[in-house]
Amino acid sequence: MKSPAPVPRPEEIELKLALPTADPQGLVQRLARTPLLARRKPTQQPLHNIYYDTPGQDLYEERVALRLRRVGSSTDPQWRQTLKMGGRSDSALSHRGEWEVPLAGAGLSREALEATPWPEFDPDGSRFDALAPCLVTAFERTSWSVRRRGGSVVEVSLDIGQIVAGDQCAPLCELELELMAGKPAALFEVAQQIARSVAVLPLNVSKAERGYALLQERLMQPLRARPPALTEGMPLPLAAQSVLREMFCQFTSNLKLLGQTDDPEVLHQARVGWRRFRSAVRLFKPGLAAEQLPDWQPLAPLLDFIGELRDIDVARTETLPSLAEAYRAGNAQRAEKWQAMLQALSDAAGLLGKSIAHALEVPAVGATLLAITQWLEDLPRQKVPTNHKADASRKSLRRWARQRTRRLHRNLQRALADSAQPESLHRARLLAKRLRYAIEALWPLLPRRQTKRWLPQAIQIQADIGGARDLQQASVLAARLEIDTGLAEFLRGVVAGQPGPR
């Protein structure tokens, strides 16, 4: 029997966007009212997708997805088999190999995989024989076709439904912009027009990846920093893209979770992700086209809310508990005052959590995150500053990385030498943080002996000065909440009695 021919479009290029809204059912109407889509007639269809994998999840480990899709109702279905391979999980812009064929019924076809890379992945057929359903996505898709000048065609699809894995279920609400013709820049152009009136967030994982996360009970876990993927022969803009994309992914992935959980660690990792990203932009800035850097000022209110809530979380969970017994000292009246302070902090945290949720629904926030995403995608193609070209041509990436970290280390030592001055102490803390982030980002390019000394030193300095700062911040927060004057005086006294950093 002759194998069915795959659809002649082997690469899928799409931009994935989360939709942080409390009213997902109203999204179809809101999108239909946007100027971009107002005069375009949408199509709607239910989609039911069954994803397959081996018991050892071989496909997931190799970034392969194989699914059966039912289009239409269960009484009059059309079946399609789709193989997807490759792609990244650190950007909302996805490039993946995609091979799709229609099938006569609801069963996987090995013959339909013969004209794809599957035989290289599964030469003896043992993996195919071991396949079994592992997760399901079921959603209503509303789609608009958008044609742009220059011949670009973008399919805008709103998917609302659910992901089911085992006995776990999670809601699904996202926007997919798929490039049908033209260049990827068209995806960002269309997305920016939508983002003028509808709040969006870059989405770095596919439906299948979220299904696996649900299956493995880690869907709501915070995303932490991951090791860099750098090699000495990389051009500087490509290295910058690799480092910055991972950091920005940490920030945006945890931002998305903030609308679904009040886990303090998610908030912490969102803040860390942004700080790492901002520090790395400064690290690479001499070799980048500075005038092309996006303006992230529209993120300022959101970032302020995140910082304020993190300060309260640190005060409640790390700083104040160690001081509780010293203040209460078995006195019932003091215990009541301490509890009143904790309640005031808890109430303030609740208000800030709502402020963050509202800030995520501001369209300008999503538009700014989209602009940064596009800037990151374009980094390798940006023009290197003229005054940097000759310098870069004489240096390997390894040499550049070592020079940048040595410079940071020297600046940190100078600030520590003058640590009696409050401004120098503050600068030392910032420099210790920047040195730490730089070493962690450039680790494969740096001398092991040097980094094994400098990294623990930077972490210790950051912890010492940061601990004193956390005490001071807890005192300021308590005073701002108008707590008992005696308790406020106690906290100020603790701050005044703190020793300087080691």
Side-chain angles (χ1 to χ4, degrees):
M1 177 179 175
K2 187 177 180 181
S3 300
V7 175
R9 185 164 53 86
E11 185 178 40
E12 175 192 62
I13 303 175
E14 66 180 15
L15 183 63
K16 299 184 293 294
L17 303 172
L19 297 159
T21 176
D23 179 27
Q25 297 306 319
L27 278 170
V28 174
Q29 290 74 27
R30 289 179 60 192
L31 283 165
R33 289 194 297 267
T34 61
L36 178 72
L37 304 176
R39 297 183 181 180
R40 292 178 167 86
K41 186 177 180 180
T43 61
Q44 290 185 310
Q45 57 182 350
L47 299 178
H48 184 88
N49 305 284
I50 307 168
Y51 289 84
Y52 290 78
D53 208 336
T54 66
Q57 297 185 349
D58 292 3
L59 276 66
Y60 170 74
E61 292 297 330
E62 297 290 335
R63 299 196 61 77
V64 174
L66 181 62
R67 76 173 182 223
L68 278 181
R69 166 169 285 179
R70 187 187 73 205
V71 182
S73 67
S74 57
T75 56
D76 185 25
Q78 299 175 30
W79 292 94
R80 299 173 188 167
Q81 178 174 293
T82 306
L83 172 70
K84 297 187 181 187
M85 304 185 77
R88 299 186 313 269
S89 59
D90 60 357
S91 175
L93 183 67
S94 169
H95 296 251
R96 290 181 294 184
E98 180 185 54
W99 296 263
E100 185 172 277
V101 295
L103 296 179
L108 286 179
S109 168
R110 184 175 175 184
E111 288 181 337
L113 295 170
E114 290 301 319
T116 76
W118 179 273
E120 298 177 17
F121 170 73
D122 181 27
D124 62 358
S126 59
R127 283 173 163 169
F128 185 88
D129 293 339
L131 292 175
C134 62
L135 61 100
V136 169
T137 62
F139 50 89
E140 182 81 13
R141 168 164 285 181
T142 305
S143 299
W144 296 261
S145 182
V146 179
R147 295 181 178 274
R148 311 303 295 164
R149 290 179 182 176
S152 296
V153 181
V154 175
E155 184 176 81
V156 178
S157 297
L158 172 65
D159 296 337
I160 299 178
Q162 62 181 358
I163 303 173
V164 180
D167 58 356
Q168 302 292 314
C169 180
L172 189 158
C173 179
E174 69 178 44
L175 205 59
E176 283 188 0
L177 280 63
E178 184 170 357
L179 188 67
M180 312 305 289
K183 296 183 178 180
L187 295 173
F188 287 101
E189 180 188 346
V190 170
Q192 283 290 1
Q193 292 192 47
I194 293 173
R196 291 172 186 169
S197 50
V198 176
V200 301
L201 287 175
L203 185 59
N204 304 301
V205 292
S206 67
K207 295 180 180 70
E209 287 172 312
R210 275 173 284 157
Y212 279 105
L214 182 64
L215 189 65
Q216 298 165 7
E217 299 184 348
R218 54 177 178 81
L219 185 62
M220 302 303 293
Q221 288 182 5
L223 180 63
R224 292 176 168 80
R226 289 171 290 179
L230 299 178
T231 58
E232 185 175 4
M234 270 186 173
L236 182 60
L238 190 60
Q241 182 191 53
S242 178
V243 169
L244 291 169
R245 201 155 49 188
E246 180 274 323
M247 295 171 172
F248 190 63
C249 175
Q250 182 190 12
F251 175 57
T252 56
S253 295
N254 288 298
L255 273 189
K256 179 181 178 296
L257 289 178
L258 282 179
Q260 305 167 48
T261 178
D262 56 1
D263 181 355
E265 188 59 23
V266 170
L267 180 84
H268 177 48
Q269 292 302 322
R271 193 186 196 191
V272 168
W274 178 254
R275 286 180 166 180
R276 293 175 67 230
F277 174 76
R278 188 178 60 185
S279 180
V281 167
R282 184 168 184 163
L283 178 71
F284 285 101
K285 194 171 182 178
L288 305 178
E291 70 278 2
Q292 297 180 34
L293 279 169
D295 176 17
W296 52 57
Q297 185 58 35
L299 300 181
L302 171 65
L303 295 171
D304 287 344
F305 293 143
I306 289 174
E308 290 172 22
L309 181 52
R310 177 58 186 165
D311 286 341
I312 290 178
D313 284 343
V314 170
R316 289 192 303 167
T317 63
E318 298 177 24
T319 307
L320 293 173
S322 63
L323 305 176
E325 288 307 314
Y327 175 75
R328 291 181 302 210
N331 185 303
Q333 204 170 34
R334 284 192 168 197
E336 288 180 10
K337 293 174 182 178
W338 189 270
Q339 189 58 40
M341 175 186 66
L342 294 181
Q343 185 60 52
L345 286 169
S346 179
D347 293 343
L351 290 174
L352 282 167
K354 292 178 181 178
S355 297
I356 290 172
H358 289 313
L360 289 172
E361 294 187 24
V362 174
V365 169
T368 302
L369 297 174
L370 273 173
I372 297 174
T373 301
Q374 185 173 14
W375 174 73
L376 288 172
E377 293 301 321
D378 292 341
L379 263 183
R381 295 179 292 277
Q382 289 184 8
K383 293 182 179 179
V384 177
T386 304
N387 62 349
H388 186 79
K389 285 181 180 178
D391 187 44
S393 66
R394 294 192 299 267
K395 295 180 187 176
S396 67
L397 181 62
R398 185 182 299 276
R399 184 181 172 197
W400 174 88
R402 293 181 179 191
Q403 288 181 345
R404 292 295 287 164
T405 51
R406 279 198 295 267
R407 182 178 178 184
L408 281 171
H409 186 259
R410 285 196 303 270
N411 291 340
L412 173 59
Q413 296 307 308
R414 292 193 190 103
L416 288 172
D418 193 27
S419 59
Q421 301 298 323
E423 57 272 15
S424 293
L425 199 60
H426 177 66
R427 176 169 168 73
R429 176 172 170 265
L430 294 179
L431 285 168
K433 193 176 298 184
R434 286 174 55 198
L435 178 62
R436 173 187 178 179
Y437 292 155
I439 290 174
E440 290 173 343
L442 303 174
W443 184 270
L445 306 171
L446 302 176
R448 292 290 177 265
R449 184 178 300 177
Q450 190 178 77
T451 53
K452 284 181 179 179
R453 293 199 318 270
W454 289 0
L455 183 57
Q457 289 172 2
I459 292 173
Q460 189 62 57
I461 292 167
Q462 184 183 346
D464 288 348
I465 303 176
R469 185 262 182 197
D470 291 342
L471 267 174
Q472 184 178 25
Q473 190 63 28
S475 175
V476 170
L477 285 170
R480 190 183 300 163
L481 294 171
E482 299 181 355
I483 62 168
D484 177 76
T485 54
L487 177 48
E489 285 295 331
F490 166 78
L491 294 175
R492 281 194 289 271
V494 173
V495 171
Q498 286 299 301
R502 287 176 280 176

PDB file of all heavy atoms in Angstrom, residues 411-430:
ATOM      1  N   ASN A 411      35.527  46.185  39.927  1.00  0.00           N
ATOM      2  CA  ASN A 411      34.606  47.222  40.403  1.00  0.00           C
ATOM      3  C   ASN A 411      33.999  46.847  41.752  1.00  0.00           C
ATOM      4  O   ASN A 411      33.807  47.714  42.618  1.00  0.00           O
ATOM      5  CB  ASN A 411      33.489  47.446  39.381  1.00  0.00           C
ATOM      6  CG  ASN A 411      33.988  48.101  38.107  1.00  0.00           C
ATOM      7  OD1 ASN A 411      35.062  48.714  38.097  1.00  0.00           O
ATOM      8  ND2 ASN A 411      33.218  47.989  37.036  1.00  0.00           N
ATOM      9  N   LEU A 412      33.708  45.556  41.940  1.00  0.00           N
ATOM     10  CA  LEU A 412      33.169  45.109  43.217  1.00  0.00           C
ATOM     11  C   LEU A 412      34.196  45.305  44.329  1.00  0.00           C
ATOM     12  O   LEU A 412      33.858  45.774  45.423  1.00  0.00           O
ATOM     13  CB  LEU A 412      32.763  43.634  43.119  1.00  0.00           C
ATOM     14  CG  LEU A 412      32.333  42.958  44.422  1.00  0.00           C
ATOM     15  CD1 LEU A 412      31.151  43.669  45.048  1.00  0.00           C
ATOM     16  CD2 LEU A 412      32.006  41.478  44.179  1.00  0.00           C
ATOM     17  N   GLN A 413      35.452  44.972  44.076  1.00  0.00           N
ATOM     18  CA  GLN A 413      36.490  45.134  45.097  1.00  0.00           C
ATOM     19  C   GLN A 413      36.665  46.596  45.485  1.00  0.00           C
ATOM     20  O   GLN A 413      36.866  46.922  46.656  1.00  0.00           O
ATOM     21  CB  GLN A 413      37.818  44.553  44.588  1.00  0.00           C
ATOM     22  CG  GLN A 413      37.784  43.048  44.335  1.00  0.00           C
ATOM     23  CD  GLN A 413      37.281  42.266  45.536  1.00  0.00           C
ATOM     24  OE1 GLN A 413      37.768  42.426  46.654  1.00  0.00           O
ATOM     25  NE2 GLN A 413      36.293  41.398  45.307  1.00  0.00           N
ATOM     26  N   ARG A 414      36.574  47.494  44.510  1.00  0.00           N
ATOM     27  CA  ARG A 414      36.689  48.932  44.812  1.00  0.00           C
ATOM     28  C   ARG A 414      35.542  49.387  45.704  1.00  0.00           C
ATOM     29  O   ARG A 414      35.735  50.161  46.655  1.00  0.00           O
ATOM     30  CB  ARG A 414      36.694  49.742  43.519  1.00  0.00           C
ATOM     31  CG  ARG A 414      37.937  49.561  42.656  1.00  0.00           C
ATOM     32  CD  ARG A 414      37.986  50.627  41.569  1.00  0.00           C
ATOM     33  NE  ARG A 414      39.020  50.344  40.586  1.00  0.00           N
ATOM     34  CZ  ARG A 414      38.793  49.840  39.380  1.00  0.00           C
ATOM     35  NH1 ARG A 414      37.549  49.586  38.991  1.00  0.00           N
ATOM     36  NH2 ARG A 414      39.786  49.604  38.544  1.00  0.00           N
ATOM     37  N   ALA A 415      34.322  48.925  45.405  1.00  0.00           N
ATOM     38  CA  ALA A 415      33.171  49.323  46.212  1.00  0.00           C
ATOM     39  C   ALA A 415      33.282  48.776  47.630  1.00  0.00           C
ATOM     40  O   ALA A 415      32.945  49.468  48.600  1.00  0.00           O
ATOM     41  CB  ALA A 415      31.887  48.829  45.552  1.00  0.00           C
ATOM     42  N   LEU A 416      33.792  47.556  47.777  1.00  0.00           N
ATOM     43  CA  LEU A 416      33.942  46.965  49.106  1.00  0.00           C
ATOM     44  C   LEU A 416      35.007  47.682  49.921  1.00  0.00           C
ATOM     45  O   LEU A 416      34.918  47.788  51.153  1.00  0.00           O
ATOM     46  CB  LEU A 416      34.294  45.484  48.991  1.00  0.00           C
ATOM     47  CG  LEU A 416      33.171  44.558  48.527  1.00  0.00           C
ATOM     48  CD1 LEU A 416      33.701  43.161  48.279  1.00  0.00           C
ATOM     49  CD2 LEU A 416      32.042  44.523  49.569  1.00  0.00           C
ATOM     50  N   ALA A 417      36.031  48.200  49.240  1.00  0.00           N
ATOM     51  CA  ALA A 417      37.100  48.922  49.939  1.00  0.00           C
ATOM     52  C   ALA A 417      36.593  50.195  50.586  1.00  0.00           C
ATOM     53  O   ALA A 417      37.211  50.711  51.521  1.00  0.00           O
ATOM     54  CB  ALA A 417      38.230  49.242  48.961  1.00  0.00           C
ATOM     55  N   ASP A 418      35.464  50.707  50.106  1.00  0.00           N
ATOM     56  CA  ASP A 418      34.899  51.940  50.648  1.00  0.00           C
ATOM     57  C   ASP A 418      33.527  51.671  51.260  1.00  0.00           C
ATOM     58  O   ASP A 418      32.630  52.506  51.185  1.00  0.00           O
ATOM     59  CB  ASP A 418      34.797  52.979  49.516  1.00  0.00           C
ATOM     60  CG  ASP A 418      34.516  54.386  50.049  1.00  0.00           C
ATOM     61  OD1 ASP A 418      34.896  54.659  51.204  1.00  0.00           O
ATOM     62  OD2 ASP A 418      33.905  55.179  49.312  1.00  0.00           O
ATOM     63  N   SER A 419      33.364  50.486  51.856  1.00  0.00           N
ATOM     64  CA  SER A 419      32.043  50.049  52.305  1.00  0.00           C
ATOM     65  C   SER A 419      31.530  50.809  53.529  1.00  0.00           C
ATOM     66  O   SER A 419      30.397  50.606  53.953  1.00  0.00           O
ATOM     67  CB  SER A 419      32.047  48.552  52.608  1.00  0.00           C
ATOM     68  OG  SER A 419      33.003  48.254  53.612  1.00  0.00           O
ATOM     69  N   ALA A 420      32.355  51.674  54.102  1.00  0.00           N
ATOM     70  CA  ALA A 420      31.880  52.482  55.226  1.00  0.00           C
ATOM     71  C   ALA A 420      30.830  53.484  54.773  1.00  0.00           C
ATOM     72  O   ALA A 420      30.010  53.952  55.577  1.00  0.00           O
ATOM     73  CB  ALA A 420      33.047  53.212  55.883  1.00  0.00           C
ATOM     74  N   GLN A 421      30.851  53.829  53.480  1.00  0.00           N
ATOM     75  CA  GLN A 421      29.872  54.762  52.933  1.00  0.00           C
ATOM     76  C   GLN A 421      28.619  53.995  52.494  1.00  0.00           C
ATOM     77  O   GLN A 421      28.721  53.000  51.775  1.00  0.00           O
ATOM     78  CB  GLN A 421      30.462  55.501  51.733  1.00  0.00           C
ATOM     79  CG  GLN A 421      31.718  56.295  52.046  1.00  0.00           C
ATOM     80  CD  GLN A 421      31.458  57.396  53.063  1.00  0.00           C
ATOM     81  OE1 GLN A 421      30.403  58.020  53.044  1.00  0.00           O
ATOM     82  NE2 GLN A 421      32.417  57.611  53.956  1.00  0.00           N
ATOM     83  N   PRO A 422      27.428  54.448  52.912  1.00  0.00           N
ATOM     84  CA  PRO A 422      26.193  53.725  52.552  1.00  0.00           C
ATOM     85  C   PRO A 422      26.009  53.552  51.047  1.00  0.00           C
ATOM     86  O   PRO A 422      25.585  52.493  50.579  1.00  0.00           O
ATOM     87  CB  PRO A 422      25.084  54.611  53.142  1.00  0.00           C
ATOM     88  CG  PRO A 422      25.749  55.361  54.248  1.00  0.00           C
ATOM     89  CD  PRO A 422      27.162  55.583  53.814  1.00  0.00           C
ATOM     90  N   GLU A 423      26.364  54.589  50.266  1.00  0.00           N
ATOM     91  CA  GLU A 423      26.174  54.474  48.818  1.00  0.00           C
ATOM     92  C   GLU A 423      27.116  53.430  48.219  1.00  0.00           C
ATOM     93  O   GLU A 423      26.775  52.730  47.266  1.00  0.00           O
ATOM     94  CB  GLU A 423      26.366  55.830  48.134  1.00  0.00           C
ATOM     95  CG  GLU A 423      27.707  56.500  48.376  1.00  0.00           C
ATOM     96  CD  GLU A 423      27.733  57.371  49.628  1.00  0.00           C
ATOM     97  OE1 GLU A 423      26.815  57.234  50.456  1.00  0.00           O
ATOM     98  OE2 GLU A 423      28.657  58.182  49.772  1.00  0.00           O
ATOM     99  N   SER A 424      28.351  53.322  48.795  1.00  0.00           N
ATOM    100  CA  SER A 424      29.292  52.309  48.316  1.00  0.00           C
ATOM    101  C   SER A 424      28.814  50.911  48.678  1.00  0.00           C
ATOM    102  O   SER A 424      28.989  49.954  47.900  1.00  0.00           O
ATOM    103  CB  SER A 424      30.687  52.551  48.896  1.00  0.00           C
ATOM    104  OG  SER A 424      31.245  53.743  48.390  1.00  0.00           O
ATOM    105  N   LEU A 425      28.205  50.773  49.856  1.00  0.00           N
ATOM    106  CA  LEU A 425      27.671  49.483  50.277  1.00  0.00           C
ATOM    107  C   LEU A 425      26.537  49.038  49.349  1.00  0.00           C
ATOM    108  O   LEU A 425      26.464  47.879  48.936  1.00  0.00           O
ATOM    109  CB  LEU A 425      27.171  49.580  51.716  1.00  0.00           C
ATOM    110  CG  LEU A 425      27.000  48.266  52.484  1.00  0.00           C
ATOM    111  CD1 LEU A 425      28.309  47.529  52.587  1.00  0.00           C
ATOM    112  CD2 LEU A 425      26.420  48.546  53.858  1.00  0.00           C
ATOM    113  N   HIS A 426      25.688  49.999  49.017  1.00  0.00           N
ATOM    114  CA  HIS A 426      24.597  49.690  48.083  1.00  0.00           C
ATOM    115  C   HIS A 426      25.157  49.306  46.712  1.00  0.00           C
ATOM    116  O   HIS A 426      24.685  48.352  46.085  1.00  0.00           O
ATOM    117  CB  HIS A 426      23.674  50.910  47.957  1.00  0.00           C
ATOM    118  CG  HIS A 426      22.562  50.721  46.973  1.00  0.00           C
ATOM    119  ND1 HIS A 426      21.547  49.810  47.155  1.00  0.00           N
ATOM    120  CD2 HIS A 426      22.311  51.338  45.779  1.00  0.00           C
ATOM    121  CE1 HIS A 426      20.717  49.863  46.123  1.00  0.00           C
ATOM    122  NE2 HIS A 426      21.164  50.770  45.274  1.00  0.00           N
ATOM    123  N   ARG A 427      26.173  50.039  46.269  1.00  0.00           N
ATOM    124  CA  ARG A 427      26.788  49.730  44.979  1.00  0.00           C
ATOM    125  C   ARG A 427      27.454  48.349  45.028  1.00  0.00           C
ATOM    126  O   ARG A 427      27.397  47.589  44.052  1.00  0.00           O
ATOM    127  CB  ARG A 427      27.808  50.808  44.620  1.00  0.00           C
ATOM    128  CG  ARG A 427      28.568  50.527  43.332  1.00  0.00           C
ATOM    129  CD  ARG A 427      29.379  51.733  42.871  1.00  0.00           C
ATOM    130  NE  ARG A 427      30.315  51.385  41.825  1.00  0.00           N
ATOM    131  CZ  ARG A 427      29.984  51.124  40.575  1.00  0.00           C
ATOM    132  NH1 ARG A 427      28.713  51.175  40.195  1.00  0.00           N
ATOM    133  NH2 ARG A 427      30.898  50.815  39.665  1.00  0.00           N
ATOM    134  N   ALA A 428      28.071  48.010  46.155  1.00  0.00           N
ATOM    135  CA  ALA A 428      28.713  46.699  46.283  1.00  0.00           C
ATOM    136  C   ALA A 428      27.687  45.576  46.152  1.00  0.00           C
ATOM    137  O   ALA A 428      27.944  44.550  45.512  1.00  0.00           O
ATOM    138  CB  ALA A 428      29.443  46.598  47.613  1.00  0.00           C
ATOM    139  N   ARG A 429      26.527  45.770  46.741  1.00  0.00           N
ATOM    140  CA  ARG A 429      25.472  44.755  46.641  1.00  0.00           C
ATOM    141  C   ARG A 429      25.030  44.579  45.188  1.00  0.00           C
ATOM    142  O   ARG A 429      24.862  43.444  44.708  1.00  0.00           O
ATOM    143  CB  ARG A 429      24.289  45.158  47.513  1.00  0.00           C
ATOM    144  CG  ARG A 429      23.085  44.236  47.413  1.00  0.00           C
ATOM    145  CD  ARG A 429      22.040  44.603  48.453  1.00  0.00           C
ATOM    146  NE  ARG A 429      20.802  43.894  48.209  1.00  0.00           N
ATOM    147  CZ  ARG A 429      19.774  44.381  47.520  1.00  0.00           C
ATOM    148  NH1 ARG A 429      19.862  45.595  46.996  1.00  0.00           N
ATOM    149  NH2 ARG A 429      18.685  43.681  47.356  1.00  0.00           N
ATOM    150  N   LEU A 430      24.833  45.682  44.494  1.00  0.00           N
ATOM    151  CA  LEU A 430      24.423  45.603  43.095  1.00  0.00           C
ATOM    152  C   LEU A 430      25.500  44.945  42.235  1.00  0.00           C
ATOM    153  O   LEU A 430      25.202  44.126  41.356  1.00  0.00           O
ATOM    154  CB  LEU A 430      24.098  47.003  42.566  1.00  0.00           C
ATOM    155  CG  LEU A 430      22.891  47.700  43.192  1.00  0.00           C
ATOM    156  CD1 LEU A 430      22.714  49.089  42.583  1.00  0.00           C
ATOM    157  CD2 LEU A 430      21.627  46.882  43.010  1.00  0.00           C
TER     158      LEU A 430
END
